[in-house]
Amino acid sequence: MAGAAAQQPPAGDGGRVGSCAEVDLLLEQHGELKLAVEIKGKKRVSGADLSGLRSFAEAHLSVPRYVVAEVPEGFEIEGCRVLPFRVWLSEIGSVLRRSR
């Protein structure tokens, strides 16, 4: 994943993307945001788990949003891809390569 790095939020921001929401991981490539990721250690993901990604989407609608969780298979909810960890790892490489 050459060229990809986690974006550092402003000092004191703690990863917040809205007034009080936050996203676990932001990836950028060549100074451009490429992915927003929420990481959940659970087998069921619902709309209640998406507050940070919802806030993020208000300012960055075109950036793909993911939830990585212990789900048995992937699905989509509120415009976010919910994927098992290994599937997500294979997908981010193709997303970053497409956007060069």
Side-chain angles (χ1 to χ4, degrees), residues 66-74 81-94:
Y66 290 86
V67 177
V68 178
E70 296 178 14
V71 294
E73 58 186 45
R81 302 270 328 262
V82 180
L83 297 172
F85 181 72
R86 291 186 190 276
V87 174
W88 177 75
L89 280 177
S90 67
E91 276 205 19
I92 63 167
S94 64

Side-chain angles (χ1 to χ4, degrees), residues 6 35 38 40 42 51 53 55 71 83 92 94 96:
L35 301 171
E38 190 68 36
K40 299 292 180 187
K42 56 202 268 184
S51 62
L53 291 172
S55 294
V71 294
L83 297 172
I92 63 167
S94 64
L96 294 173

Side-chain angles (χ1 to χ4, degrees), residues 1 4 27 29 33-36 62-66 81 83 87-100:
M1 241 184 304
L27 292 177
Q29 186 176 39
L33 281 173
K34 296 297 180 183
L35 301 171
S62 66
V63 176
R65 292 167 287 135
Y66 290 86
R81 302 270 328 262
L83 297 172
V87 174
W88 177 75
L89 280 177
S90 67
E91 276 205 19
I92 63 167
S94 64
V95 168
L96 294 173
R97 280 190 298 276
R98 276 193 311 253
S99 61
R100 287 186 196 173

